[in-house]
């Protein structure tokens, strides 16, 4: 049985990755921050009591700012694979807390890589790099595109990217960068613009909200479905050697298009509800991020199955269900038709909602 360690296991990607690896019979370990309140809502539906026999999911309270703690964990676990997803990952917030962003998002990667090197563990390392690193570089962006970061978050990710390459080339570690373009889902954080839009649509339908405040509507992004992206993370670490891969759909849409699609899917006129607020705009904007995925398609054999309109339908349906409304249903149909059992609607959406409500089903 393979053993994997996931940083950021309670985030969107970490929760989906944990489910995927458990479905492949891995023993999964995750790092979570110690807090006075529970922050495990995305993984409560797969939580296993560590005192029970045959438990395959284990959580460790820790901090990416502590080199000694990380080294001790690597020594004790000796995982075959590490998926480093933990970060301060909100781009707009990184302008407000640049020091913390640099410490966790940038130096946190160095601490993990150094722990692997010092421990001598034969560990494969995956670094969650970001399309935000490309910044002002014109699209489409590939593995050869020069980085032009436009935020403290992007700068920290560039630092982490190059450290991953340095440890791969300098110390012969199996260390890979997955440069993932925007990937969304019903588990996306509520302050990220896509989820803010779909949650706002559901709240308006439920009569709980009358206005939705947004920032820059003209930014263009390459949006995909998060569970498909964690599958490619796993594929990257199954290669014969470490390497770097750009992952995306190759298709660009503006925030305005996402908003219009979400409101139209729900039968609403966005002009009656959406207002623009400068507080949600960044000091430096990134105009357009669109992936050139030729390398990933050729080397990894990976093709996204969920398109832009399907993604919006999935997210709106999920937020409607969470608001105790009857979803339109196209999003659920997409998951049932296009994706594997571990990520169909009951497991990926309904069980998470039930766990959050304290009534997780057992099927």
């Amino acid at each position: 049985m393979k053993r994997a360690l996931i940083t950021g296991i309670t985030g969107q990607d970490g929760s989906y990755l944990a489910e995927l690896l458990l479905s492949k019979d891995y023993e999964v370990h995750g790092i979570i921050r110690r807090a006075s309140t529970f922050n495990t809502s995305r993984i409560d539906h797969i939580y296993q009591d560590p005192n029970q026999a045959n438990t395959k999911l284990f959580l460790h309270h820790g901090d990416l700012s502590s080199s000694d703690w990380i080294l001790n964990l690597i020594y004790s676990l000796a995982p075959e694979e590490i998926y480093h997803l933990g970060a301060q990952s909100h781009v707009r917030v990184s302008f407000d807390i640049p020091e913390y962003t640099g410490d966790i998002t940038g130096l946190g990667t160095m601490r993990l890589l150094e722990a692997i090197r010092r421990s001598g563990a034969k560990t494969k390392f995956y670094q969650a790099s970001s399309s935000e690193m490309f910044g002002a570089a014109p699209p489409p962006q590939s593995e050869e595109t020069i980085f032009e970061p436009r935020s403290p978050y992007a700068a920290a990710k560039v630092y982490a990217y190059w450290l991953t390459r340095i440890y791969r080339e300098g110390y012969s570690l199996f260390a890979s960068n997955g440069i993932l373009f925007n990937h969304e889902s019903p588990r996306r954080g509520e302050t990220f613009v896509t989820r803010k839009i779909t949650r706002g649509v559901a709240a308006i339908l439920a009569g709980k909200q009358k206005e939705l405040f947004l920032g820059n509507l003209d930014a263009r992004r390459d949006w995909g479905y998060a569970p498909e992206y964690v599958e490619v993370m796993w594929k990257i670490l199954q290669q014969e050697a470490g390497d770097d891969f750009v992952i995306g759909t190759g298709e660009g849409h503006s925030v305005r298009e996402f908003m219009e699609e979400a409101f139209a899917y729900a039968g609403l006129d966005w002009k009656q509800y959406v207002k623009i607020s400068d507080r949600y705009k960044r000091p430096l904007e990134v105009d357009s991020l669109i992936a050139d995925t030729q390398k990933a398609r050729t080397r990894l054999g990976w093709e996204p199955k969920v398109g832009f309109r399907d993604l919006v339908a999935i997210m709106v349906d999920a937020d409607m269900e969470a608001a105790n409304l009857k979803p339109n249903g196209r999003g659920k149909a997409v998951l049932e038709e296009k994706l594997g059992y571990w990520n169909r609607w009951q497991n990926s959406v309904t069980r998470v909602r039930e766990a959050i409500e304290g009534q997780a089903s057992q099927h």
Side-chain angles (χ1 to χ4, degrees):
M1 180 185 297
K2 283 188 177 181
R3 178 179 295 164
L5 173 65
I6 303 172
T7 71
I9 194 171
T10 59
Q12 169 188 257
D13 293 359
S15 65
Y16 284 123
L17 180 59
E19 287 177 296
L20 175 65
L21 296 181
L22 288 171
S23 76
K24 295 181 179 294
D25 201 32
Y26 276 63
E27 179 181 297
V28 178
H29 294 256
I31 298 175
I32 61 174
R33 293 191 299 267
R34 188 173 295 280
S36 59
T37 56
F38 293 111
N39 59 356
T40 58
S41 60
R42 293 186 183 94
I43 58 171
D44 282 346
H45 66 294
I46 58 171
Y47 175 76
Q48 300 170 5
D49 187 337
N51 297 305
Q52 300 297 318
N54 300 318
T55 295
K56 295 180 182 177
L57 176 63
F58 302 88
L59 302 179
H60 305 268
H61 289 280
D63 195 330
L64 291 173
S65 66
S66 173
S67 297
D68 288 342
W69 182 86
I70 291 172
L71 180 59
N72 289 335
L73 185 66
I74 301 303
Y75 265 121
S76 63
L77 292 180
E80 282 92 346
E81 298 172 1
I82 293 178
Y83 297 86
H84 179 36
L85 314 182
Q88 190 301 101
S89 58
H90 198 291
V91 179
R92 176 62 188 85
V93 171
S94 76
F95 285 97
D96 300 326
I97 50 172
E99 181 179 358
Y100 177 78
T101 300
D103 184 24
I104 300 303
T105 306
L107 289 174
T109 305
M110 179 275 293
R111 295 179 184 113
L112 282 163
L113 287 164
E114 184 63 7
I116 295 170
R117 185 188 71 82
R118 291 173 62 185
S119 71
K122 301 299 182 183
T123 300
K124 295 182 177 181
F125 179 81
Y126 172 86
Q127 163 63 17
S129 291
S130 169
S131 61
E132 287 288 335
M133 300 188 304
F134 294 119
Q141 295 96 357
S142 73
E143 292 83 1
E144 305 304 319
T145 303
I146 301 299
F147 299 134
E148 298 183 34
R150 303 273 286 175
S151 68
Y153 167 77
K157 282 290 188 180
V158 169
Y159 174 79
Y161 167 90
W162 279 111
L163 273 177
T164 301
R165 289 194 56 172
I166 288 168
Y167 274 75
R168 180 174 75 224
E169 297 167 10
Y171 298 115
S172 298
L173 267 60
F174 188 118
S176 295
N177 284 291
I179 308 174
L180 272 57
F181 281 62
N182 293 62
H183 45 290
E184 317 298 317
S185 79
R187 299 185 196 175
R188 189 54 136 159
E190 295 167 358
T191 60
F192 288 80
V193 67
T194 51
R195 183 74 197 290
K196 185 176 180 180
I197 289 170
T198 60
R199 190 166 178 261
V201 165
I204 290 168
L205 286 172
K208 298 179 180 179
Q209 186 172 322
K210 295 182 179 179
E211 297 175 322
L212 176 62
F213 289 91
L214 299 173
N216 178 16
L217 300 183
D218 297 320
R220 295 182 65 80
R221 294 294 184 267
D222 183 332
W223 277 303
Y225 185 50
E228 293 194 276
Y229 287 56
V230 303
E231 289 181 337
V232 83
M233 293 177 191
W234 178 80
K235 281 180 175 288
I236 287 172
L237 288 198
Q238 310 317 306
Q239 302 305 297
E240 292 184 359
D243 204 347
D244 307 318
F245 295 91
V246 161
I247 306 299
T249 69
E251 184 178 309
H253 295 273
S254 67
V255 175
R256 184 185 305 275
E257 289 176 79
F258 192 102
M259 173 197 66
E260 290 173 344
E261 180 67 25
F263 274 84
Y265 179 71
L268 297 172
D269 180 0
W270 68 270
K271 297 184 183 69
Q272 298 181 21
Y273 305 100
V274 175
K275 298 185 182 301
I276 304 302
S277 172
D278 288 341
R279 68 176 297 185
Y280 297 118
K281 295 181 178 180
R282 307 176 186 178
L284 286 174
E285 293 287 351
V286 174
D287 294 333
S288 184
L289 297 173
I290 303 172
D292 177 348
T293 62
Q294 181 178 354
K295 181 178 178 180
R297 292 171 191 265
T298 302
R299 292 271 302 280
L300 303 176
W302 182 79
E303 294 277 353
K305 299 175 183 176
V306 176
F308 175 73
R309 297 185 69 244
D310 289 342
L311 170 65
V312 176
I314 290 168
M315 294 181 67
V316 174
D317 276 357
D319 276 317
M320 288 178 68
E321 182 175 293
N324 295 316
L325 301 171
K326 183 179 179 181
N328 290 352
R330 195 176 89 226
K332 180 177 180 179
V334 168
L335 293 191
E336 299 302 308
E337 174 188 345
K338 296 186 177 182
L339 298 179
Y341 170 76
W342 73 274
N343 185 46
R344 288 180 180 161
W345 192 264
Q346 173 64 24
N347 188 56
S348 184
V349 177
T350 303
R351 287 187 67 208
V352 177
R353 176 182 58 79
E354 290 173 342
I356 292 172
E357 294 174 352
Q359 53 185 0
S361 64
Q362 298 302 309
H363 50 274

